[in-house]
Amino acid sequence: MNKRPATARKLGLLSCHDCYLLVEAPPAHDHCRCPRCGAALHQRKPNSLHRTWALVCAAIILYIPANVLPITITSALGTRQADTILSGVIYFMKSGSWEIAAVIFIASVFVPFAKLVLLVFMLLSVHFRSAWRPRDRTALYRLTEMVGRWSMVDIYVVTILVALVKLGAVATIEAGPAAVYFAAVVVITMFAAESFDPRLIWDVIEEDI
Amino acid sequence: MAFSRILQILCATAADSRPLPEKKPAAAPLGTGRPNVVACHDCDLLNRLPAGTGATLVCARCGAVLRKHRTNSIDRSLALALAALIFFIVSNSFPFLAMKSGGFIQETTLLTGVRELWEQELYGLSSLVLLTCVLVPLAQITGLLYILAPLKWAAGPAPHAVRVFRLVQEVAPWGMMEVFMLGILVALVKLGKMATIIPGISVFSFGVLIFVMAAAFSSLDPPLLWDRLDLRR
Ligand SMILES: [Zn+2]
Ligand SMILES: [Zn+2]
């Protein structure tokens, strides 16, 4: 029992989420504020697991229409062409710009998918009180939080295309329905990563010692 | 989570102007007893702060970076935030990209795409792009200036500077100008085959803005700022 490391929780301290001031936890579980910055104090992010699960499930559901429906609809000289995220990647590969194909594939397909898989993995590992490599799982969490924003790149490409290609009768590009679903996936997974509390990974290990 | 906290900060700012410590005295600060200990934000381990100022503190258990010393933090961030404001204004007032195809020239600004999406009734998407590429960066720049300028030139911190700083930290993940820049490159390659794209002044200024913003935030020293802005003073 005395092998437990000295954490803020063990010593009855709260670390402010905004300014990292250490504060003595009040005896009752009432709502209190950080004396230095005024932020509400919590020992852990409130409802972290439930919130993250809910957001991850929502993102998984929305991930499907985001990849199946068209993200852009190009009309040129009377023909209409609908492109999904993947058909855009294939188009770039065929036309020889494989770097762009790689950027879009990584940012739009791989990163959101990997992020969801990693979040589910971290949630399950906390749920089953895993003691497996907590340091690496914490590092994975930091990575998940960092790379999510880059998925927005496809949304921006669509925005720029829509703005530029408005040549009246010659060609126009419209945003397809997948753009909305895809943006929702990116935003929701960002919220999910933020609502997960990596300290839970360590909490379950300490409780089991 | 982030959204509700941003709302909380905003509501608190709007609703009351009383100083907070008087309102909620329940929490006893540890400042006097153990000022040189900090809890890791990723694993909760208590880490002792190094005695000297020049060192970087890394969590002994999970490897998170807890403290990084910056020299001349306030001066540097202030100068960079001022520069960022100038580049922000330039980026938003000049043409961004122009496309030449046949006899047509289609000129755009940073906001054209936002307006086009709005006209296609994609309101959420349009707001998201506006928020992440224009409003959040603007809030970050003006927020930094609001916090830093009084610390440099006036006697004490500006009113509500603490809440402004919390807000600046809270919105930071939603500023995505560098991702937008990558989007521009992809769009250029995509359209390069069917038309000539002429980059405007804005694109270059936007590129510089990204670096200036990144530099302004990396020269920021949050522990020092929290100390200067402390509500208990
Ligand atoms: Zn605080
Ligand atoms: Zn740690």
Side-chain angles (χ1 to χ4, degrees):
Chain A
M1 286 305 271
N2 50 14
K3 279 278 185 184
R4 283 193 189 180
T7 61
R9 188 171 73 140
K10 189 189 163 206
L11 300 185
L13 303 172
L14 299 178
S15 171
C16 172
H17 287 254
D18 281 13
C19 74
Y20 303 125
L21 180 72
L22 274 177
V23 173
E24 213 111 28
H29 268 278
D30 64 354
H31 169 82
C32 64
R33 286 181 174 276
C34 172
R36 180 159 72 175
C37 76
L41 290 170
H42 308 283
Q43 188 156 60
R44 296 291 176 262
K45 294 178 187 172
N47 265 329
S48 171
L49 291 179
H50 288 120
R51 254 184 233 221
T52 315
W53 267 123
L55 292 166
V56 164
C57 291
I60 290 172
I61 294 166
L62 292 168
Y63 187 76
I64 299 163
N67 280 284
V68 172
L69 297 174
I71 190 157
T72 53
I73 298 160
T74 316
S75 328
L77 304 166
T79 59
R80 276 167 73 81
Q81 191 196 341
D83 279 304
T84 63
I85 292 173
L86 269 177
S87 76
V89 172
I90 292 165
Y91 165 81
F92 277 122
M93 268 164 59
K94 279 187 182 157
S95 63
S97 357
W98 61 268
E99 355 23 11
I100 298 294
V103 166
I104 298 194
F105 181 78
I106 291 172
S108 308
V109 184
F110 179 72
V111 166
F113 182 76
K115 207 174 157 179
L116 286 172
V117 170
L118 285 176
L119 280 171
V120 168
F121 165 70
M122 279 181 282
L123 284 166
L124 287 176
S125 78
V126 171
H127 182 83
F128 290 110
R129 313 185 75 81
S130 157
W132 180 78
R133 301 171 91 166
R135 196 185 158 106
D136 291 345
R137 277 186 285 145
T138 312
L140 266 184
Y141 169 74
R142 285 197 285 268
L143 185 75
T144 321
E145 219 186 5
M146 215 172 58
V147 298
R149 54 203 281 105
W150 291 95
S151 302
M152 278 294 279
V153 76
D154 228 13
I155 298 297
Y156 295 142
V157 172
V158 172
T159 310
I160 296 162
L161 291 181
V162 163
L164 270 179
V165 188
K166 271 206 58 158
L167 297 175
V170 185
T172 54
I173 294 185
E174 273 174 73
V180 177
Y181 290 110
F182 186 74
V185 170
V186 178
V187 170
I188 291 172
T189 50
M190 278 182 71
F191 277 126
E194 209 188 286
S195 60
F196 181 76
D197 197 329
R199 286 170 291 191
L200 298 174
I201 294 173
W202 300 86
D203 282 352
V204 292
I205 299 175
E206 281 154 28
E207 283 159 14
D208 289 347
I209 287 175
Chain B
M1 176 98 188
F3 187 64
S4 64
R5 288 178 72 191
I6 290 168
L7 264 185
Q8 260 176 28
I9 298 170
L10 283 177
C11 292
T13 313
D16 66 347
S17 52
R18 284 168 297 167
L20 276 160
E22 271 108 65
K23 207 176 69 184
K24 285 278 179 186
L30 233 128
T32 44
R34 255 169 295 187
N36 53 349
V37 174
V38 64
C40 172
H41 45 80
D42 280 355
C43 78
D44 213 30
L45 186 75
L46 294 173
N47 285 264
R48 195 171 295 281
L49 287 170
T53 46
T56 298
L57 176 64
V58 173
C59 174
R61 184 162 72 163
C62 77
V65 178
L66 302 180
R67 278 282 194 291
K68 222 178 206 170
H69 180 70
R70 270 94 181 190
T71 42
N72 269 337
S73 156
I74 291 180
D75 288 4
R76 276 189 202 179
S77 316
L78 184 58
L80 288 163
L82 276 171
L85 185 65
I86 294 166
F87 284 111
F88 182 87
I89 294 167
V90 172
S91 307
N92 281 285
S93 7
F94 289 94
F96 203 72
L97 293 171
M99 184 165 114
K100 211 170 135 192
S101 168
F104 295 97
I105 289 189
Q106 173 77 21
E107 206 169 59
T108 64
T109 65
L110 200 54
L111 290 174
T112 313
V114 173
R115 208 174 50 229
E116 282 302 324
L117 289 177
W118 190 270
E119 273 162 20
Q120 290 181 18
E121 297 183 352
L122 298 166
Y123 305 122
L125 215 53
S126 165
S127 317
L128 184 65
V129 176
L130 183 69
L131 204 69
T132 52
C133 295
V134 182
L135 296 183
V136 168
L138 180 65
Q140 286 178 293
I141 297 169
T142 48
L144 270 191
L145 289 175
Y146 182 79
I147 298 159
L148 295 171
L151 286 183
K152 167 81 178 155
W153 289 306
H160 300 301
V162 164
R163 283 171 200 162
V164 174
F165 190 34
R166 276 168 58 206
L167 202 66
V168 166
Q169 286 195 331
E170 210 66 56
V171 297
W174 300 96
M176 303 191 188
M177 292 189 300
E178 72 280 16
V179 185
F180 190 77
M181 200 70 199
L182 183 65
I184 293 170
L185 295 179
V186 173
L188 285 184
V189 175
K190 196 161 184 167
L191 292 175
K193 280 167 191 144
M194 52 196 229
T196 318
I197 310 285
I198 308 150
I201 300 170
S202 266
V203 174
F204 300 109
S205 138
F206 196 73
V208 177
L209 174 60
I210 292 167
F211 283 100
V212 174
M213 277 281 274
F217 272 88
S218 72
S219 58
L220 206 63
D221 192 352
L224 172 83
L225 277 184
W226 287 124
D227 199 43
R228 295 284 302 270
L229 299 177
D230 202 326
L231 279 172
R232 293 167 293 183
R233 295 197 169 205

Coordinates of all heavy atoms in Angstrom, one line a residue, chain A residues 21 34-38, chain B residues 18-22 29 31-32 35 74 151 154-162 222-233:
Chain A
L21 N -2.7 25.6 -10.4 CA -2.5 25.9 -9.0 C -2.9 24.7 -8.2 O -4.0 24.1 -8.5 CB -3.2 27.1 -8.6 CG -3.1 27.6 -7.1 CD1 -1.7 28.1 -6.9 CD2 -4.1 28.6 -6.7
C34 N -11.1 28.2 -8.2 CA -9.6 28.4 -8.0 C -9.4 29.8 -7.5 O -9.9 30.7 -8.1 CB -8.9 28.2 -9.4 SG -7.2 28.6 -9.3
P35 N -8.7 29.9 -6.4 CA -8.4 31.3 -5.9 C -7.6 32.1 -6.8 O -7.6 33.3 -6.7 CB -7.7 31.0 -4.5 CG -7.2 29.6 -4.7 CD -8.1 28.9 -5.6
R36 N -6.8 31.5 -7.6 CA -5.9 32.3 -8.5 C -6.5 32.8 -9.8 O -6.4 33.9 -10.2 CB -4.6 31.5 -8.8 CG -3.6 32.3 -9.6 CD -2.2 31.8 -9.5 NE -2.1 30.5 -10.2 CZ -0.9 29.9 -10.3 NH1 0.2 30.5 -9.8 NH2 -0.8 28.8 -10.9
C37 N -7.3 31.8 -10.4 CA -7.8 32.2 -11.8 C -9.3 32.2 -11.8 O -9.9 32.5 -12.9 CB -7.2 31.3 -12.8 SG -7.9 29.7 -12.9
G38 N -10.0 31.7 -10.8 CA -11.5 31.7 -10.8 C -12.1 30.6 -11.6 O -13.3 30.5 -11.7
Chain B
R18 N -17.8 41.4 -9.5 CA -17.2 41.3 -8.2 C -15.9 40.4 -8.3 O -15.9 39.5 -9.1 CB -18.2 40.6 -7.2 CG -19.3 41.6 -6.8 CD -20.3 40.8 -6.1 NE -20.9 39.8 -7.0 CZ -21.7 38.8 -6.6 NH1 -21.9 38.6 -5.3 NH2 -22.3 38.0 -7.4
P19 N -14.9 40.7 -7.5 CA -13.8 39.8 -7.5 C -14.2 38.4 -7.0 O -15.0 38.3 -6.1 CB -12.8 40.5 -6.6 CG -13.6 41.5 -5.8 CD -14.8 41.8 -6.6
L20 N -13.6 37.4 -7.6 CA -14.0 36.0 -7.2 C -13.7 35.5 -5.8 O -14.5 34.8 -5.2 CB -13.5 35.1 -8.3 CG -14.4 35.0 -9.5 CD1 -13.7 34.4 -10.7 CD2 -15.6 34.1 -9.2
P21 N -12.5 35.8 -5.3 CA -12.1 35.2 -4.0 C -13.1 35.5 -2.9 O -13.4 34.6 -2.1 CB -10.8 35.9 -3.7 CG -10.3 36.4 -5.0 CD -11.5 36.7 -5.8
E22 N -13.7 36.7 -2.9 CA -14.7 36.9 -1.9 C -15.9 36.1 -2.0 O -16.6 35.7 -1.0 CB -15.1 38.4 -1.9 CG -14.2 39.3 -1.1 CD -13.3 40.2 -2.0 OE1 -13.9 41.0 -2.7 OE2 -12.1 39.9 -2.0
P29 N -5.8 27.9 -0.7 CA -4.7 27.7 -1.7 C -3.5 27.1 -1.0 O -3.3 27.3 0.2 CB -4.4 29.1 -2.1 CG -4.9 30.0 -1.0 CD -6.0 29.3 -0.4
G31 N -0.5 27.8 -2.0 CA 0.6 28.7 -2.4 C 1.7 28.9 -1.4 O 2.9 28.8 -1.7
T32 N 1.3 29.0 -0.1 CA 2.3 29.4 0.9 C 3.0 28.1 1.4 O 4.2 28.1 1.6 CB 1.6 30.0 2.1 OG1 0.4 29.3 2.4 CG2 1.3 31.5 1.8
P35 N 4.9 26.0 -2.5 CA 4.8 26.7 -3.8 C 5.7 26.1 -4.9 O 5.5 26.4 -6.0 CB 5.4 28.1 -3.4 CG 6.3 27.8 -2.2 CD 5.8 26.6 -1.5
I74 N 7.2 38.4 -21.6 CA 6.1 39.4 -21.9 C 6.5 40.3 -23.0 O 5.6 40.5 -23.9 CB 5.8 40.2 -20.6 CG1 5.2 39.2 -19.5 CG2 4.9 41.4 -20.9 CD1 4.9 39.9 -18.2
L151 N 0.3 44.8 -18.6 CA 1.4 44.3 -17.8 C 2.7 45.0 -18.1 O 3.6 45.2 -17.3 CB 1.6 42.8 -18.0 CG 0.6 41.9 -17.4 CD1 0.9 40.4 -17.6 CD2 0.4 42.1 -15.9
A154 N 1.3 49.5 -18.1 CA 0.5 50.0 -17.0 C 1.0 49.4 -15.7 O 1.8 48.5 -15.7 CB -1.0 49.8 -17.2
A155 N 0.4 49.8 -14.6 CA 0.9 49.4 -13.3 C 0.5 47.9 -13.0 O 1.3 47.1 -12.6 CB 0.4 50.3 -12.2
G156 N -0.8 47.6 -13.3 CA -1.3 46.3 -13.0 C -2.0 45.7 -14.1 O -2.1 46.3 -15.2
P157 N -2.5 44.5 -13.9 CA -3.3 43.8 -15.0 C -4.6 44.5 -15.3 O -5.2 45.2 -14.5 CB -3.5 42.4 -14.5 CG -3.4 42.5 -13.0 CD -2.4 43.6 -12.7
A158 N -5.1 44.3 -16.6 CA -6.3 44.9 -17.0 C -7.5 44.2 -16.3 O -7.3 43.1 -15.8 CB -6.5 44.7 -18.5
P159 N -8.6 44.9 -16.2 CA -9.8 44.2 -15.5 C -10.2 42.9 -16.3 O -10.2 42.9 -17.5 CB -10.9 45.2 -15.6 CG -10.4 46.3 -16.5 CD -8.9 46.2 -16.5
H160 N -10.5 41.9 -15.6 CA -10.9 40.6 -16.1 C -9.8 39.9 -16.9 O -10.1 39.0 -17.7 CB -12.1 40.7 -17.0 CG -13.3 41.2 -16.3 ND1 -13.8 40.6 -15.2 CD2 -14.0 42.4 -16.4 CE1 -14.9 41.3 -14.7 NE2 -15.0 42.4 -15.5
A161 N -8.5 40.4 -16.8 CA -7.5 39.7 -17.6 C -7.4 38.2 -17.3 O -7.1 37.5 -18.3 CB -6.1 40.4 -17.2
V162 N -7.7 37.8 -16.1 CA -7.6 36.4 -15.8 C -8.6 35.6 -16.6 O -8.2 34.6 -17.2 CB -7.9 36.2 -14.3 CG1 -8.2 34.7 -14.0 CG2 -6.7 36.6 -13.5
P222 N 3.0 30.8 -19.4 CA 1.8 30.8 -18.6 C 2.0 30.9 -17.1 O 1.3 31.6 -16.4 CB 1.1 29.5 -19.0 CG 1.6 29.2 -20.4 CD 3.0 29.7 -20.4
P223 N 2.9 30.1 -16.5 CA 3.1 30.2 -15.0 C 3.4 31.6 -14.6 O 2.8 32.1 -13.6 CB 4.2 29.2 -14.7 CG 4.3 28.3 -15.9 CD 3.8 29.0 -17.1
L224 N 4.3 32.3 -15.3 CA 4.6 33.6 -15.0 C 3.4 34.5 -15.1 O 3.1 35.4 -14.2 CB 5.7 34.1 -16.0 CG 6.0 35.6 -15.8 CD1 7.0 35.8 -14.7 CD2 6.6 36.2 -17.1
L225 N 2.6 34.4 -16.2 CA 1.4 35.2 -16.3 C 0.4 34.9 -15.2 O -0.2 35.9 -14.7 CB 0.8 34.9 -17.7 CG 1.4 35.6 -18.9 CD1 0.6 35.3 -20.1 CD2 1.4 37.1 -18.6
W226 N 0.2 33.7 -14.9 CA -0.8 33.4 -13.8 C -0.3 34.0 -12.5 O -1.2 34.5 -11.7 CB -0.9 31.9 -13.6 CG -1.7 31.2 -14.7 CD1 -1.3 30.1 -15.5 CD2 -3.1 31.5 -15.1 NE1 -2.3 29.8 -16.4 CE2 -3.4 30.6 -16.1 CE3 -4.0 32.5 -14.7 CZ2 -4.6 30.7 -16.8 CZ3 -5.2 32.5 -15.4 CH2 -5.5 31.6 -16.4
D227 N 1.0 34.1 -12.3 CA 1.5 34.7 -11.1 C 1.2 36.2 -11.1 O 0.8 36.8 -10.1 CB 3.0 34.4 -11.1 CG 3.5 34.6 -9.7 OD1 2.8 34.2 -8.7 OD2 4.6 35.2 -9.5
R228 N 1.4 36.8 -12.3 CA 1.2 38.3 -12.4 C -0.3 38.6 -12.3 O -0.6 39.7 -11.8 CB 1.8 38.8 -13.7 CG 3.3 38.7 -13.8 CD 4.0 39.7 -13.0 NE 3.7 41.1 -13.3 CZ 4.4 41.8 -14.2 NH1 5.3 41.3 -14.9 NH2 4.0 43.1 -14.5
L229 N -1.1 37.7 -12.8 CA -2.5 38.1 -12.9 C -3.3 37.7 -11.7 O -4.5 37.9 -11.6 CB -3.2 37.4 -14.2 CG -2.6 37.8 -15.5 CD1 -3.3 36.9 -16.6 CD2 -2.8 39.2 -15.8
D230 N -2.6 36.9 -10.8 CA -3.3 36.3 -9.6 C -4.4 37.1 -9.0 O -4.3 38.3 -8.7 CB -2.2 36.1 -8.6 CG -2.6 35.0 -7.6 OD1 -3.8 34.9 -7.3 OD2 -1.7 34.3 -7.1
L231 N -5.6 36.5 -8.9 CA -6.8 37.2 -8.4 C -6.6 37.6 -6.9 O -7.3 38.5 -6.5 CB -8.0 36.3 -8.5 CG -8.7 36.2 -9.9 CD1 -9.8 35.1 -9.8 CD2 -9.3 37.6 -10.2
R232 N -5.7 36.9 -6.2 CA -5.6 37.2 -4.8 C -4.8 38.5 -4.5 O -4.7 38.9 -3.4 CB -4.9 36.0 -4.1 CG -5.7 34.7 -4.1 CD -4.9 33.5 -3.8 NE -3.9 33.2 -4.8 CZ -3.1 32.2 -4.7 NH1 -3.1 31.4 -3.7 NH2 -2.2 32.0 -5.6
R233 N -4.2 39.0 -5.5 CA -3.4 40.2 -5.3 C -4.2 41.4 -5.1 O -5.2 41.6 -5.7 CB -2.5 40.5 -6.5 CG -1.5 39.3 -6.6 CD -0.3 39.7 -7.5 NE 0.7 38.7 -7.4 CZ 2.0 38.9 -7.6 NH1 2.4 40.0 -8.0 NH2 2.8 37.9 -7.5

